[in-house]
Amino acid sequence: GAVVSQHPSWVICKSGTSVKIECRSLDFQATTMFWYRQFPKQSLMLMATSNEGSKATYEQGVEKDKFLINHASLTLSTLTVTSAHPEDSSFYICSAGGSGGTYEQYFGPGTRLTVT
Amino acid sequence: AQSVAQPEDQVNVAEGNPLTVKCTYSVSGNPYLFWYVQYPNRGLQFLLKYITGDNLVKGSYGFEAEFNKSQTSFHLKKPSALVSDSALYFCAVIALGGFKTIFGAGTRLFVKA
């Protein structure tokens, strides 16, 4: 099956610094990737849809200047949390859409971000 | 607006017994329905989907789900639960012609030996 990787798997940073999370589709090309945020014991909240070669589409309430998304190639999307604050601490998950109209998504293992 | 409801936060089942994890949805038009599973410290994995055709769909690890249009439900089932099935299960929907996947709140399944 399709494999999506994320790096790093966990990161601790100080308040005010920026953190970049990478999402890669390893064995298929993904024109669209999605970024989610998952709070403890809660569902996935879609943050933005990342389209290769164009600007990301952000969900309502998500600050695009704070959560910078770049989808520079068909296998790589990055999420940069700028000027991180403790309330940004969360589990961030990326996914890549299925190809050929199959609609299911393939998820990365997630990145645990802790801002101190 | 699209929505997915998983009415149970947690389901407890004894190993060997059948299990059901409930899901109901609300969309305009025909839905595309999915079940995903999340094991501890791992990403979500696709289990099965309903797009069209037979209402009973079979997926990975012996799971199946039945699409019921009149009840707007897509319950996940397995005839005989395993301890290794213990995980967090998410139901999800895409509306026909839509693009975004909407996830339910998740149901934690505990299978006791």
Side-chain angles (χ1 to χ4, degrees):
Chain A
V3 179
V4 176
S5 70
Q6 267 184 256
H7 179 79
S9 56
W10 60 271
V11 58
I12 302 173
C13 71
K14 293 185 177 181
S15 186
T17 61
S18 296
V19 174
K20 179 184 284 188
I21 302 170
E22 293 185 348
C23 177
R24 295 182 184 271
S25 57
L26 298 184
D27 52 1
F28 67 103
Q29 294 183 330
T31 55
T32 302
M33 289 183 173
F34 303 89
W35 287 96
Y36 296 87
R37 188 170 175 176
Q38 185 179 27
F39 294 96
K41 298 184 179 181
Q42 292 190 31
S43 187
L44 283 73
M45 181 192 79
L46 180 64
M47 299 175 65
T49 302
S50 169
N51 299 297
E52 187 267 338
S54 64
K55 292 182 178 181
T57 303
Y58 290 83
E59 293 300 300
Q60 190 173 9
V62 178
E63 299 176 59
K64 59 183 178 182
D65 294 330
K66 181 168 186 60
F67 298 100
L68 299 178
I69 290 173
N70 185 296
H71 195 156
S73 77
L74 289 172
T75 58
L76 174 64
S77 176
T78 60
L79 168 68
T80 300
V81 183
T82 63
S83 187
H85 290 285
E87 57 265 30
D88 298 325
S89 298
S90 191
F91 194 55
Y92 293 88
I93 304 172
C94 73
S95 73
S99 61
T102 57
Y103 299 104
E104 66 264 31
Q105 294 181 43
Y106 302 98
F107 288 83
T111 297
R112 172 76 58 194
L113 170 64
T114 302
V115 184
T116 61
Chain B
Q2 302 175 84
S3 66
V4 178
Q6 293 181 243
E8 303 154 316
D9 291 337
Q10 183 171 309
V11 170
N12 298 311
V13 177
E15 187 174 36
N17 284 0
L19 70 87
T20 299
V21 183
K22 296 180 180 178
C23 171
T24 59
Y25 64 89
S26 175
V27 298
S28 299
N30 293 325
Y32 297 160
L33 294 157
F34 307 83
W35 276 101
Y36 292 88
V37 59
Q38 186 178 32
Y39 296 101
N41 301 315
R42 293 173 65 179
L44 276 76
Q45 297 178 32
F46 168 73
L47 269 182
L48 51 80
K49 66 181 177 184
Y50 171 82
I51 302 297
T52 186
D54 194 346
N55 289 345
L56 182 65
V57 292
K58 295 185 182 295
S60 306
Y61 311 120
F63 284 94
E64 59 187 29
E66 184 166 14
F67 170 60
N68 188 316
K69 189 172 184 178
S70 63
Q71 297 185 4
T72 62
S73 68
F74 190 57
H75 300 332
L76 180 70
K77 298 182 180 183
K78 187 173 182 180
S80 179
L82 298 173
V83 173
S84 57
D85 292 330
S86 299
L88 185 57
Y89 290 81
F90 290 98
C91 182
V93 65
I94 301 176
L96 180 65
F99 191 73
K100 290 190 297 186
T101 301
I102 305 300
F103 288 85
T107 298
R108 191 163 296 279
L109 173 66
F110 286 101
V111 181
K112 186 176 181 181

